Amino acid sequence: MTSPLEQKKIRITGPSVVTANRTWDGAVVYRTAKHGWSTELSDSAIVTTSDEARALLAEATADDLGAVGPYIAPVELKDGGKVKPGNLREHIRAKGVTIDLQVPA
Amino acid sequence: MYAYDELDRTLINERVSEFRDQVKRRLSGELTEDEFKILRLQNGVYLQLHAYMFRVAIPYGTLSSKQLRRLAHVARRYDRGYGHFTTRQNIQFNWIKLAELPDALADLAEVGIHAMQTSGNNMRNVTSDQWAGVAPGEIEDPRIWSELIRQHTTLHPEFSFLPRKFKIAITAAEHDRAAIKIHDIGLRLHKNADGETGFEVLVGGGLGRTPFIAKTIKPFVPGRDILSYIEAILRVYNQYGRRDNIYKARIKILVHELGIEKFAKEVEEEWKAMGDVGLTLDHAAIEEVRSRFSYPAYEKLPHMPDELKQAAHDKLFERWRKNSVSPHKVQGYSIVTLSLKPVGGPPGDATAEQMDAVADLADKYSFGEIRVGHEQNLALPHVAKRDLPALFKALDRLGLATPNVNLVTDIIACPGLDYCSLANARSIPIAQELTRRFANHDTADLIGRLHINISGCINACGHHHVGHIGILGVEKNGEEFYQITIGGRADENAQLGTLIGPAVPYAEVADVIEDIVEAYLALRDRPEELFVDTVKRLGVEPIRERVYATR
Ligand code: HEM
Ligand code: SF4
């Protein structure tokens, strides 16, 4: 749970989403506008004010059965409404590891 | 090989059913994440960037071929077909689903593998030399003592709720392959003047935010007294241990604050005052554990078989043999290290196919036994020398015969930002790029022994402080930067590295490392002078000058 005190401190500086890991399999998920979770960043509810962010996080946090460890993450909005992860960490969470996993034979 | 007793097996199975029930209650909503977290951590389950991470213990790095096949099965059935061997004789699976974890645990339990004490504030997996029982000149097999300590501390209430996690390592050889000086307690087995076997006891080592090298508090504790002596250490620790501050609660901080003399004195007094607490190991108890380690029925073999003489003409074989094959205590046998550091590959990863194939090779050439070392490589501990040429061919086909053990491309790296939720920066792609830069084995040979260690944050899972070259990921304004240290080492002369200059961005790390290596090649006074010895002789400055002059 994000404590009320911590929630008060939340300030965002640009478009943001709420992300977490799905409880049953750990997959990266995003809070949607329909009060559910999606594995697609493009489905996420995008907030632009700190008040909206607080509300979205509170709602997501209440769904402890759906996903664990929700937090606010920055996104970039591209032309045509495309949503991109806002930093490298979120890029890796959205797209997977940046390394070639196949051990060369 | 080690045979578990009935008690251990029952305990492991009970833990599996207990965890199955806990997962069920979590997935039904009966348990919240807050309630469940401590339970999953007790079973080696962390939450990472992409998924739950599952950490499995490989006590003293000893695996049977049957166990390795089962790890391959878990990688294939429940994960994405590979596993990651860590620096603490564990294996981690990165993509496991919580709902399937109880099944994975149950499959592992069938072959005596578990995930107890791989996390939490308790006594962790007691590590030892991966060559235990086969290294020439060893005092005796250190795993016997690892096991005696493990039995005493496993699930012992006193050890389950320590101020912080607690790690012990044991070595019995001249050359310390268990990195005992960076553990909370390091034990070095040796004989005193009367020929009695006992331990030099070191305390207070550890890396992380505040790194320390362990110091000796008693040069000799007889083997039979080691449990009571550890008990005395823990009592002093528990008495003083600072539970109020998570960063300060490791024993290294206490030892640092009290001073080693005072700490040693307190332990000594506690130990004397304790009297007989029923922890003295009698001969029978030690022998009972000794008897559970079985050794192969070695043949009487020549020191130099014909097969080896013939293969000496094969240049690739010879290069690999010189690099990856080490002497064995029994004539005619060798210890073979399997490099999990292919050029361009993630350090320490093995695919399910490789694990299965290594298990088959272990059956064929190593009496069914495999070892896991803290350098994130595997070893076959009992290979007859006559089989080396055939083994080389098989390993080469599997991508496990890279002749780079202990060389510049034998990099230790933590999972970093590609997997780890605590990371500042990536570790694995840096390692991959470096292995490409130094891909030429002749160049790597020319450079000689050089350990590069990479951590993605200050928790130091990649042991960067004690790398000959250490690379630490930090964050600057949202960008990945790396601090580089040189001159660290993890062996019997353990030392922390020194910062060489300002942190450098991701794209420049490999260039800087190349420059450091070039500076060393120019400055070493003869080809045999190792990188760390050159740094020791000259200090950091001459290397810093050359590397940063043009930056
Ligand atoms: C990816 C998940 C991992 C997480 C979340 C994690 C987390 C941590 C944390 C928080 C610490 C510091 C504990 C302290 O301050 O006392 C630590 C220490 C350590 N970790 Fe990890 N770790 C991970 C993976 C690994 C891997 C893959 C390895 C081996 C390659 C490893 C080896 C170690 C070692 C040896 C230490 C002890 C360093 C010391 O002496 O203080 N860890 N880890
Ligand atoms: S050193 Fe940091 S980034 Fe690397 S695995 Fe440990 S906690 Fe994660």
Side-chain angles (χ1 to χ4, degrees), chain B residues 190-211:
Chain B
H190 66 123
K191 283 195 195 301
N192 68 5
D194 301 331
E196 209 186 343
T197 304
F199 294 93
E200 176 184 352
V201 179
L202 295 87
V203 176
L207 301 176
R209 191 172 299 271
T210 31

Side-chain angles (χ1 to χ4, degrees), chain B residues 172-186:
Chain B
E174 276 297 307
H175 182 64
D176 172 16
R177 278 172 297 265
I180 64 169
K181 289 194 174 174
I182 55 171
H183 283 75
D184 295 286
I185 297 181

Side-chain angles (χ1 to χ4, degrees), chain A residues 30-53:
Chain A
Y30 303 93
R31 193 69 182 169
T32 67
K34 293 185 182 138
H35 314 295
W37 296 99
S38 168
T39 52
E40 299 299 322
L41 179 58
S42 54
D43 292 341
S44 58
I46 295 175
V47 291
T48 50
T49 69
S50 298
D51 282 343
E52 283 171 5

Side-chain angles (χ1 to χ4, degrees), chain B residues 50-71:
Chain B
H50 315 277
Y52 293 93
M53 181 271 276
F54 179 37
R55 183 180 287 169
V56 176
I58 303 171
Y60 15 89
T62 302
L63 276 176
S64 68
S65 53
K66 194 171 155 193
Q67 290 174 320
L68 184 57
R69 270 189 208 100
R70 199 54 71 94
L71 292 173

Side-chain angles (χ1 to χ4, degrees), chain B residues 48 53 55 86-87 165 167 207 250 415 459 461 463:
Chain B
Q48 288 299 293
M53 181 271 276
R55 183 180 287 169
T86 81
T87 54
K165 63 185 175 188
K167 298 178 179 178
L207 301 176
R250 294 288 290 268
N459 285 315
C461 302
H463 292 180

